[in-house]
Amino acid sequence: MNYLEDFEEDFTKPLLLGYLRRDLLVADSQVANLERQMAQFARVEGFSMGFTYVEEQAGWPMAFEALIESVNRYRASAIVVPHLLHLTALDGSFDAKDTFERATGARVLMLEG
């Protein structure tokens, strides 16, 4: 089942991309659940939901690099993460949100406060 069937791409709305780290989740089913939550979040907050980048393994952050490239290429106005830990786990920095926002110009939004 494609859970994004109810979501139409709307180029008049700002683009929101998702990012999460699989190694911070307990079960594979959480990935699909979080992707649904991110899509719903986008709709409620007035965004057009784009792709969600999933970092499958600890180590070299290939999905994160692809996220940054997409933010820059498509001029995404924001990204959404389940929790700030998904960004800080990259380098252990407590200012990962601010660093990302300064480097890309995109806001970092969280599903959980």
Side-chain angles (χ1 to χ4, degrees), residues 6-49:
D6 295 336
F7 298 94
E8 294 183 19
E9 192 168 27
D10 183 347
F11 294 109
T12 64
K13 295 180 181 179
L15 177 63
L16 179 69
L17 300 175
Y19 179 76
L20 61 91
R21 293 182 56 95
R22 171 62 187 93
D23 60 327
L24 297 177
L25 305 175
V26 176
D28 287 334
S29 62
Q30 288 180 285
V31 172
N33 186 42
L34 285 168
E35 287 178 323
R36 281 191 294 277
Q37 288 178 34
M38 288 176 177
Q40 179 64 24
F41 177 87
R43 191 164 93 182
V44 168
E45 296 297 323
F47 289 96
S48 179
M49 187 67 201

Side-chain angles (χ1 to χ4, degrees), residues 19-23 53-57 60-64:
Y19 179 76
L20 61 91
R21 293 182 56 95
R22 171 62 187 93
D23 60 327
Y53 294 85
V54 179
E55 205 70 70
E56 293 292 339
Q57 299 176 4
W60 193 260
M62 294 188 311
F64 185 73

Side-chain angles (χ1 to χ4, degrees), residues 68-96:
I68 291 174
E69 183 178 324
S70 291
V71 165
N72 292 327
R73 176 180 293 153
Y74 302 111
R75 296 189 176 122
S77 60
I79 68 164
V80 62
V81 294
H83 189 276
L84 193 53
L85 184 59
H86 288 258
L87 284 183
T88 58
L90 290 166
D91 67 3
S93 172
F94 289 108
D95 67 348

